[in-house]
Amino acid sequence: MHFTLNGQKKEYSSAPDLSLLKYLREHEKITSLKNGCAPQASCGCCTIELNGKAILACAIKMEKVAGGDVRTIEGLEQKTKDALADAFVAAGGVQCGFCTPGFLMRAKAIIDANPDPDLQDIRKALTPNLCRCTGYKKIEDAILMAAESLRENKPVAELLSSGGVGEREPKYDARKLALGQRPFVVDMFFEGMLHGALKFSDHPRAKIVAINLEKAKSLTGVVHIFTAEDIPGERFTGLIEQDWPLLVAVGEETRYIGDALACVVAENKDIAREAVALIKVEYEILTPITDAHFALTDEAPYIHAKGNLLSRTTIKRGEVEKALKNAAFISTGAYNTQMIEHAFMEPECCIALPENGRLQVYSQGQGVYEDRKSITRILDKKEDEVLVTLVPNGGGFGGKEDLTVQGHAALAAHILQKPVKFELTRDESIRMHPKRHPIEMHYTLGCDANGKMTALKADIIGDTGAYASVGMKVLERAAGHATGAYFIPAVEIDSKAVYTNNLPCGAMRGFGVNQVAFALESCIDDLCEQGGFDRWQFRYDNALKEGDATSTGQIITGGCGARETLLAVKEQFEKARYAGLACGLKNTGIGNGMPDESKVKIEIKTPDHIILHHGWTEMGQGVHTMAIQFLSQVTGIDPSIVEVKVETASGAEAGMTTASRATSLIGNAVIDAAEKLKKDLAANALEKLVGKTYHGEWVCDWTTKPGADVDEIITHYSYSYATQVVILDENGRIEKVIAAHDAGKIINPNLFEGQIQGAVHMGLGYALTEALELENGVPKSTRLRKCGILRAKETPEIEVIGVEMHDPHGPYGAKGVGEIGLVPTAAAVANALYQFDGVRRMRLPMLRK
């Protein structure tokens, strides 16, 4: 069989049913096209061109390529590549970048079909491609920009930036990402590398009676099969509670369908998976516990030795019962939110290999230092014997905080002393990693005759699934944000995280706060209807201001922008016929008595090469870019000469990239180091400083634990604020979302807008269509298409309004923006729909069939 690939003649005589995606990536080593879901054909990350048409390479068999002309990004004309890549960089259409090469190829097809496309043409044509980061808006802008460039035969206008704070500095590595030239972990290859695959439990709850490996071991190409007894160190891992086994042992019970029982290492991944299918497990099948309420009863068996209640957070302030008795109006209701999948475009992958007497691990996790800590425990090694390097990932949203395959790859590479790659398929990824918590909330909210809220009583229960992950912190955060962006003088909150045999639930953008916002803001609209209050004015009158207390009793002392975000949307809200309104509050930093800290190291290698080391994970949000902008702002150094690295060898420690804190913490740490460099630059040219290293650090260690007997409650060092308006058309469809967000100081407008647009898109899906449905602890589907993620044509206009109320602790006043973008969204949608049809929505998602 003959065909052409990027203008070169090719001959192929192997398996006719091999996918074109696999051929290109594994045989030709062309990795610009990505595997986000193969063979599901749901994500579009593998979009390329066949005979002049955009196709999904995972859906095309090699037999269909005969006589054809195949083109990847590498085969495009330079002018076309430049226009597309430059447009995506300038428009801010690149975030994590995993999906971007697929969008570039789709954009070329759009422009080929119509050199002057309009937005509706573009949105419809983008249907085969998913993006979880951007909300599509900047991708649409990029395609319009590229079309104009090609149509008028002129280059795309470059972003004008000196690299300082407040400027639209191009995202670090954005052009390489757009063209598929910057590798992800899965794109990396090492000589002699082996491949691993996991044998998962067939049942959410069952006793492992025996594991028979004989047939699997006898398969040609299998190198080794690991079970629990092969682990030299601690078998249980976990970010807070070490309750999650790397491999479940014979004689133990499985706790969910994603428990790993064995891992096969073979010459290639096909053999590894074939061997997994040959592993025979004898089970004593047990009835799974899938209801959180039942899990707390005396009849329920313990999932873990300490019981099924993972955590309980209680907050009591003021006389709630008395306040409710005296309230003029009371809203009460039971609100339920669903489990959803993170759906980052890049499934999990890790490579580990022996190197210079140590174990080198290439991770896409959200905390390389936490990865190192877990791996050293598993292997019974010292921390300096394991090096973990971050390969910036293809989206995380909290779903890559827990270990998935890092421990298995490290175990195999350590014992075999060879490079080993573990790569999950999309189905395996959905089966294995933690999800967003489904939460049931019983809310009772009261106000007086003047529309001032007087009391809140909330009973919150979250299904945290099989393992702790960070479930206790999610439900703690739900309690701490239960009053939202408002002052309510009397509160009584009881928030529980409960073990079940469902998929584990952990961190996901919003972290319990968007769940309680849905309940609270729905109750507020109900109170407004009962009392005849203006919905905007009611929120403005009750909104937090300096001197008011949050749910936990923390007094807000600076940078409070709740009212300013309300003012930013007032005019458009009041003009709309069918509009929903909701506010949001979101912490920056973990807080709650736990330290938030960051270290950086700046190395002057040459006058034209500076390395900035830090410990935070770049996953599309732009933390590398903002680190460079902080350095440039202080020192005036050209951003183009700065390289960013995240590797444990540097000692630039940081915690998990979570809690919307990376920008805030890295900013302060970079400023600390940069001021020292600036002082030296005042007396020396940069070439005189070659070989010098500058260290920076920032620590917040003054927050207080929940329930601690302290003079002043300080739950978090900083908060962000938001107001969103959802406007419906005459048919009840969402026409526009207006998102006003207080970022303290907007470090990079392109990145800020992109973060908010992407979060709003995720919030709309959460509100309307997304759910990961289980039956007896087992997903009904592990297909990405079934997760309900909105496509470009289903995503309405999103207007972002930036508000800047400087935070006293943030770098240049900055606050976190990564999560708050979806905190008010579902509530605003629910309130808009009520204005249209008079039906109060109590459960998410609202439109899923």
Short mmCIF file of all heavy atoms in Angstrom, two decimals, residues 585-633:
data_model
loop_
_atom_site.label_atom_id
_atom_site.label_comp_id
_atom_site.label_asym_id
_atom_site.label_seq_id
_atom_site.Cartn_x
_atom_site.Cartn_y
_atom_site.Cartn_z
N LEU A 585 -17.60 33.80 46.18
CA LEU A 585 -16.43 34.06 47.02
C LEU A 585 -15.54 32.82 46.92
O LEU A 585 -16.04 31.70 46.91
CB LEU A 585 -16.87 34.26 48.47
CG LEU A 585 -15.79 34.29 49.56
CD1 LEU A 585 -15.12 35.66 49.59
CD2 LEU A 585 -16.39 33.98 50.93
N LYS A 586 -14.23 33.00 46.80
CA LYS A 586 -13.34 31.84 46.75
C LYS A 586 -12.00 32.18 47.38
O LYS A 586 -11.41 33.21 47.09
CB LYS A 586 -13.12 31.39 45.29
CG LYS A 586 -12.29 30.11 45.17
CD LYS A 586 -13.01 28.91 45.72
CE LYS A 586 -12.21 27.62 45.59
NZ LYS A 586 -11.04 27.55 46.48
N ASN A 587 -11.57 31.28 48.24
CA ASN A 587 -10.29 31.47 48.92
C ASN A 587 -9.11 31.43 47.96
O ASN A 587 -9.13 30.76 46.93
CB ASN A 587 -10.10 30.37 49.97
CG ASN A 587 -10.12 28.97 49.34
OD1 ASN A 587 -11.15 28.53 48.87
ND2 ASN A 587 -8.98 28.30 49.33
N THR A 588 -8.05 32.13 48.33
CA THR A 588 -6.73 31.95 47.74
C THR A 588 -5.87 31.33 48.83
O THR A 588 -5.75 31.89 49.91
CB THR A 588 -6.13 33.30 47.30
OG1 THR A 588 -6.99 33.91 46.35
CG2 THR A 588 -4.75 33.11 46.70
N GLY A 589 -5.29 30.18 48.54
CA GLY A 589 -4.47 29.49 49.53
C GLY A 589 -5.25 28.45 50.31
O GLY A 589 -6.47 28.53 50.46
N ILE A 590 -4.52 27.46 50.81
CA ILE A 590 -5.14 26.38 51.57
C ILE A 590 -5.65 26.87 52.91
O ILE A 590 -6.78 26.61 53.32
CB ILE A 590 -4.14 25.21 51.76
CG1 ILE A 590 -3.86 24.54 50.42
CG2 ILE A 590 -4.67 24.19 52.74
CD1 ILE A 590 -2.78 23.48 50.48
N GLY A 591 -4.81 27.59 53.65
CA GLY A 591 -5.22 28.16 54.93
C GLY A 591 -5.70 27.13 55.92
O GLY A 591 -5.21 26.00 55.97
N ASN A 592 -6.66 27.52 56.76
CA ASN A 592 -7.21 26.63 57.78
C ASN A 592 -6.11 26.05 58.67
O ASN A 592 -6.15 24.89 59.07
CB ASN A 592 -8.02 25.50 57.15
CG ASN A 592 -9.34 25.97 56.58
OD1 ASN A 592 -10.29 26.21 57.31
ND2 ASN A 592 -9.38 26.14 55.26
N GLY A 593 -5.11 26.88 58.98
CA GLY A 593 -4.04 26.46 59.87
C GLY A 593 -2.89 25.75 59.19
O GLY A 593 -1.91 25.39 59.84
N MET A 594 -3.00 25.53 57.87
CA MET A 594 -1.91 24.89 57.13
C MET A 594 -1.09 25.96 56.42
O MET A 594 -1.64 26.91 55.87
CB MET A 594 -2.48 23.90 56.11
CG MET A 594 -3.25 22.75 56.73
SD MET A 594 -3.93 21.61 55.49
CE MET A 594 -2.41 20.85 54.87
N PRO A 595 0.23 25.82 56.41
CA PRO A 595 1.05 26.86 55.78
C PRO A 595 0.93 26.85 54.25
O PRO A 595 0.80 25.79 53.63
CB PRO A 595 2.48 26.50 56.20
CG PRO A 595 2.43 25.03 56.50
CD PRO A 595 1.05 24.76 57.03
N ASP A 596 0.97 28.02 53.67
CA ASP A 596 1.08 28.20 52.22
C ASP A 596 2.46 28.78 51.97
O ASP A 596 2.78 29.86 52.50
CB ASP A 596 0.01 29.17 51.71
CG ASP A 596 -1.39 28.59 51.71
OD1 ASP A 596 -1.67 27.74 50.86
OD2 ASP A 596 -2.20 28.98 52.58
N GLU A 597 3.27 28.09 51.19
CA GLU A 597 4.64 28.57 51.00
C GLU A 597 5.16 28.26 49.61
O GLU A 597 4.69 27.34 48.95
CB GLU A 597 5.57 27.97 52.06
CG GLU A 597 5.53 26.46 52.15
CD GLU A 597 6.27 25.94 53.38
OE1 GLU A 597 7.34 26.51 53.70
OE2 GLU A 597 5.79 24.99 54.00
N SER A 598 6.15 29.05 49.20
CA SER A 598 6.74 28.89 47.88
C SER A 598 8.19 29.36 47.91
O SER A 598 8.51 30.36 48.54
CB SER A 598 5.96 29.71 46.85
OG SER A 598 6.54 29.63 45.58
N LYS A 599 9.03 28.60 47.21
CA LYS A 599 10.43 28.98 47.03
C LYS A 599 10.74 29.07 45.55
O LYS A 599 10.17 28.32 44.75
CB LYS A 599 11.37 27.96 47.69
CG LYS A 599 11.25 27.86 49.20
CD LYS A 599 12.19 26.79 49.74
CE LYS A 599 12.06 26.67 51.25
NZ LYS A 599 12.94 25.60 51.80
N VAL A 600 11.64 29.95 45.18
CA VAL A 600 12.11 30.03 43.81
C VAL A 600 13.63 30.18 43.82
O VAL A 600 14.23 30.56 44.82
CB VAL A 600 11.50 31.22 43.03
CG1 VAL A 600 9.98 31.12 43.01
CG2 VAL A 600 11.96 32.54 43.60
N LYS A 601 14.22 29.84 42.69
CA LYS A 601 15.66 29.99 42.51
C LYS A 601 15.90 30.55 41.11
O LYS A 601 15.37 30.03 40.13
CB LYS A 601 16.37 28.65 42.67
CG LYS A 601 17.89 28.74 42.57
CD LYS A 601 18.57 27.44 42.99
CE LYS A 601 18.46 26.38 41.93
NZ LYS A 601 19.26 25.17 42.26
N ILE A 602 16.68 31.62 41.02
CA ILE A 602 17.00 32.24 39.74
C ILE A 602 18.49 32.07 39.48
O ILE A 602 19.32 32.51 40.27
CB ILE A 602 16.62 33.74 39.74
CG1 ILE A 602 15.12 33.92 40.00
CG2 ILE A 602 17.03 34.39 38.42
CD1 ILE A 602 14.71 35.35 40.27
N GLU A 603 18.82 31.41 38.36
CA GLU A 603 20.21 31.17 37.99
C GLU A 603 20.58 32.01 36.78
O GLU A 603 19.88 31.96 35.76
CB GLU A 603 20.44 29.70 37.66
CG GLU A 603 20.28 28.74 38.83
CD GLU A 603 20.61 27.32 38.42
OE1 GLU A 603 19.83 26.73 37.64
OE2 GLU A 603 21.64 26.80 38.87
N ILE A 604 21.66 32.74 36.88
CA ILE A 604 22.18 33.50 35.74
C ILE A 604 23.19 32.62 35.03
O ILE A 604 24.33 32.47 35.47
CB ILE A 604 22.83 34.82 36.19
CG1 ILE A 604 21.95 35.56 37.22
CG2 ILE A 604 23.13 35.70 34.97
CD1 ILE A 604 20.59 35.93 36.72
N LYS A 605 22.79 31.98 33.94
CA LYS A 605 23.65 31.05 33.23
C LYS A 605 24.60 31.77 32.27
O LYS A 605 25.79 31.49 32.21
CB LYS A 605 22.80 30.04 32.46
CG LYS A 605 22.05 29.06 33.35
CD LYS A 605 23.04 28.15 34.08
CE LYS A 605 22.36 27.02 34.79
NZ LYS A 605 23.33 26.14 35.50
N THR A 606 24.03 32.64 31.45
CA THR A 606 24.80 33.48 30.53
C THR A 606 24.06 34.82 30.46
O THR A 606 22.94 34.94 30.96
CB THR A 606 24.89 32.87 29.11
OG1 THR A 606 23.61 32.98 28.49
CG2 THR A 606 25.34 31.40 29.16
N PRO A 607 24.63 35.82 29.82
CA PRO A 607 23.89 37.08 29.67
C PRO A 607 22.59 36.92 28.89
O PRO A 607 21.71 37.79 28.99
CB PRO A 607 24.88 37.98 28.92
CG PRO A 607 26.22 37.42 29.24
CD PRO A 607 26.03 35.94 29.35
N ASP A 608 22.46 35.81 28.14
CA ASP A 608 21.26 35.59 27.33
C ASP A 608 20.46 34.38 27.80
O ASP A 608 19.60 33.89 27.06
CB ASP A 608 21.64 35.40 25.85
CG ASP A 608 22.33 36.63 25.28
OD1 ASP A 608 21.85 37.74 25.56
OD2 ASP A 608 23.36 36.46 24.59
N HIS A 609 20.73 33.90 28.99
CA HIS A 609 20.03 32.71 29.46
C HIS A 609 19.93 32.72 30.99
O HIS A 609 20.93 32.59 31.70
CB HIS A 609 20.75 31.44 29.00
CG HIS A 609 20.02 30.17 29.36
ND1 HIS A 609 20.64 28.96 29.51
CD2 HIS A 609 18.69 29.95 29.60
CE1 HIS A 609 19.75 28.02 29.82
NE2 HIS A 609 18.57 28.60 29.88
N ILE A 610 18.70 32.89 31.44
CA ILE A 610 18.40 32.85 32.87
C ILE A 610 17.41 31.72 33.11
O ILE A 610 16.44 31.57 32.36
CB ILE A 610 17.80 34.20 33.35
CG1 ILE A 610 18.85 35.31 33.25
CG2 ILE A 610 17.25 34.09 34.77
CD1 ILE A 610 18.31 36.68 33.52
N ILE A 611 17.65 30.92 34.14
CA ILE A 611 16.71 29.86 34.50
C ILE A 611 15.98 30.24 35.77
O ILE A 611 16.61 30.57 36.80
CB ILE A 611 17.41 28.50 34.69
CG1 ILE A 611 18.14 28.09 33.40
CG2 ILE A 611 16.39 27.43 35.08
CD1 ILE A 611 18.90 26.78 33.53
N LEU A 612 14.67 30.20 35.71
CA LEU A 612 13.82 30.47 36.87
C LEU A 612 13.24 29.13 37.33
O LEU A 612 12.45 28.52 36.61
CB LEU A 612 12.71 31.47 36.50
CG LEU A 612 11.94 32.16 37.62
CD1 LEU A 612 11.14 33.34 37.08
CD2 LEU A 612 10.99 31.23 38.35
N HIS A 613 13.65 28.69 38.50
CA HIS A 613 13.16 27.43 39.06
C HIS A 613 12.03 27.73 40.06
O HIS A 613 12.16 28.62 40.91
CB HIS A 613 14.26 26.70 39.82
CG HIS A 613 15.42 26.28 38.98
ND1 HIS A 613 15.46 25.09 38.30
CD2 HIS A 613 16.61 26.91 38.72
CE1 HIS A 613 16.62 24.98 37.67
NE2 HIS A 613 17.33 26.07 37.90
N HIS A 614 10.97 26.96 39.95
CA HIS A 614 9.93 27.02 40.99
C HIS A 614 9.29 25.64 41.10
O HIS A 614 9.72 24.69 40.44
CB HIS A 614 8.89 28.11 40.68
CG HIS A 614 8.04 27.86 39.47
ND1 HIS A 614 6.94 27.03 39.49
CD2 HIS A 614 8.10 28.34 38.20
CE1 HIS A 614 6.36 27.01 38.30
NE2 HIS A 614 7.06 27.80 37.48
N GLY A 615 8.28 25.50 41.97
CA GLY A 615 7.73 24.19 42.25
C GLY A 615 6.29 23.99 41.84
O GLY A 615 5.68 22.97 42.18
N TRP A 616 5.71 24.95 41.09
CA TRP A 616 4.29 24.88 40.76
C TRP A 616 4.07 24.23 39.40
O TRP A 616 4.92 24.31 38.52
CB TRP A 616 3.69 26.29 40.79
CG TRP A 616 3.87 26.93 42.13
CD1 TRP A 616 4.83 27.84 42.48
CD2 TRP A 616 3.14 26.66 43.32
NE1 TRP A 616 4.71 28.17 43.80
CE2 TRP A 616 3.69 27.46 44.35
CE3 TRP A 616 2.06 25.83 43.63
CZ2 TRP A 616 3.20 27.45 45.66
CZ3 TRP A 616 1.57 25.81 44.93
CH2 TRP A 616 2.13 26.61 45.93
N THR A 617 2.90 23.65 39.23
CA THR A 617 2.60 22.93 37.99
C THR A 617 1.96 23.86 36.97
O THR A 617 0.93 24.49 37.24
CB THR A 617 1.65 21.75 38.26
OG1 THR A 617 2.35 20.78 39.03
CG2 THR A 617 1.18 21.10 36.96
N GLU A 618 2.58 23.93 35.79
CA GLU A 618 1.97 24.62 34.65
C GLU A 618 1.00 23.65 34.00
O GLU A 618 1.39 22.58 33.54
CB GLU A 618 3.05 25.05 33.66
CG GLU A 618 2.51 25.61 32.35
CD GLU A 618 1.63 26.82 32.53
OE1 GLU A 618 2.14 27.86 33.00
OE2 GLU A 618 0.42 26.72 32.20
N MET A 619 -0.28 24.02 33.99
CA MET A 619 -1.30 23.14 33.41
C MET A 619 -2.28 23.92 32.56
O MET A 619 -3.45 23.55 32.44
CB MET A 619 -2.02 22.36 34.52
CG MET A 619 -2.52 23.17 35.68
SD MET A 619 -3.09 22.09 37.02
CE MET A 619 -3.41 23.32 38.29
N GLY A 620 -1.78 25.03 32.01
CA GLY A 620 -2.60 25.84 31.13
C GLY A 620 -2.95 27.19 31.70
O GLY A 620 -3.27 28.13 30.97
N GLN A 621 -2.87 27.32 33.03
CA GLN A 621 -3.28 28.57 33.66
C GLN A 621 -2.28 29.69 33.47
O GLN A 621 -2.59 30.86 33.65
CB GLN A 621 -3.55 28.33 35.16
CG GLN A 621 -2.34 28.33 36.09
CD GLN A 621 -1.53 27.05 36.09
OE1 GLN A 621 -1.33 26.44 35.04
NE2 GLN A 621 -1.06 26.64 37.25
N GLY A 622 -1.04 29.33 33.11
CA GLY A 622 -0.05 30.35 32.80
C GLY A 622 0.88 30.72 33.93
O GLY A 622 1.45 31.81 33.94
N VAL A 623 1.10 29.81 34.89
CA VAL A 623 1.94 30.15 36.04
C VAL A 623 3.38 30.43 35.61
O VAL A 623 4.04 31.31 36.19
CB VAL A 623 1.87 29.05 37.12
CG1 VAL A 623 2.50 27.75 36.65
CG2 VAL A 623 2.49 29.52 38.42
N HIS A 624 3.88 29.73 34.59
CA HIS A 624 5.23 30.02 34.09
C HIS A 624 5.30 31.45 33.55
O HIS A 624 6.26 32.19 33.82
CB HIS A 624 5.61 29.06 32.95
CG HIS A 624 5.98 27.68 33.39
ND1 HIS A 624 6.00 27.28 34.70
CD2 HIS A 624 6.37 26.59 32.66
CE1 HIS A 624 6.38 26.01 34.78
NE2 HIS A 624 6.61 25.57 33.55
N THR A 625 4.29 31.83 32.80
CA THR A 625 4.27 33.17 32.19
C THR A 625 4.25 34.24 33.26
O THR A 625 4.98 35.24 33.19
CB THR A 625 3.03 33.32 31.29
OG1 THR A 625 2.95 32.20 30.43
CG2 THR A 625 3.09 34.60 30.48
N MET A 626 3.40 34.05 34.26
CA MET A 626 3.29 35.07 35.30
C MET A 626 4.54 35.15 36.16
O MET A 626 4.93 36.23 36.60
CB MET A 626 2.03 34.81 36.13
CG MET A 626 0.77 35.12 35.32
SD MET A 626 -0.78 34.86 36.19
CE MET A 626 -0.93 33.08 36.06
N ALA A 627 5.21 34.02 36.37
CA ALA A 627 6.48 34.04 37.09
C ALA A 627 7.48 34.93 36.36
O ALA A 627 8.20 35.74 36.97
CB ALA A 627 7.02 32.62 37.25
N ILE A 628 7.55 34.77 35.03
CA ILE A 628 8.46 35.58 34.23
C ILE A 628 8.05 37.05 34.28
O ILE A 628 8.90 37.95 34.37
CB ILE A 628 8.48 35.08 32.77
CG1 ILE A 628 9.11 33.69 32.70
CG2 ILE A 628 9.23 36.05 31.87
CD1 ILE A 628 9.00 33.03 31.34
N GLN A 629 6.75 37.32 34.25
CA GLN A 629 6.29 38.72 34.30
C GLN A 629 6.66 39.39 35.61
O GLN A 629 7.02 40.57 35.63
CB GLN A 629 4.78 38.79 34.04
CG GLN A 629 4.41 38.53 32.58
CD GLN A 629 2.94 38.74 32.29
OE1 GLN A 629 2.18 37.78 32.18
NE2 GLN A 629 2.54 39.99 32.16
N PHE A 630 6.56 38.66 36.71
CA PHE A 630 6.97 39.23 37.99
C PHE A 630 8.47 39.54 37.97
O PHE A 630 8.91 40.60 38.44
CB PHE A 630 6.66 38.26 39.14
CG PHE A 630 5.19 38.15 39.46
CD1 PHE A 630 4.54 36.93 39.41
CD2 PHE A 630 4.45 39.27 39.83
CE1 PHE A 630 3.19 36.81 39.71
CE2 PHE A 630 3.10 39.16 40.14
CZ PHE A 630 2.47 37.93 40.07
N LEU A 631 9.27 38.62 37.43
CA LEU A 631 10.71 38.84 37.34
C LEU A 631 11.02 40.05 36.46
O LEU A 631 11.85 40.90 36.81
CB LEU A 631 11.38 37.58 36.77
CG LEU A 631 12.87 37.67 36.47
CD1 LEU A 631 13.67 37.98 37.72
CD2 LEU A 631 13.36 36.37 35.82
N SER A 632 10.34 40.13 35.32
CA SER A 632 10.58 41.23 34.39
C SER A 632 10.15 42.57 34.99
O SER A 632 10.81 43.59 34.79
CB SER A 632 9.82 40.95 33.09
OG SER A 632 10.06 41.96 32.15
N GLN A 633 9.03 42.56 35.70
CA GLN A 633 8.53 43.79 36.31
C GLN A 633 9.56 44.38 37.28
O GLN A 633 9.78 45.59 37.30
CB GLN A 633 7.22 43.51 37.05
CG GLN A 633 6.61 44.71 37.76
CD GLN A 633 6.09 45.76 36.81
OE1 GLN A 633 5.71 45.45 35.68
NE2 GLN A 633 6.05 47.01 37.25
#
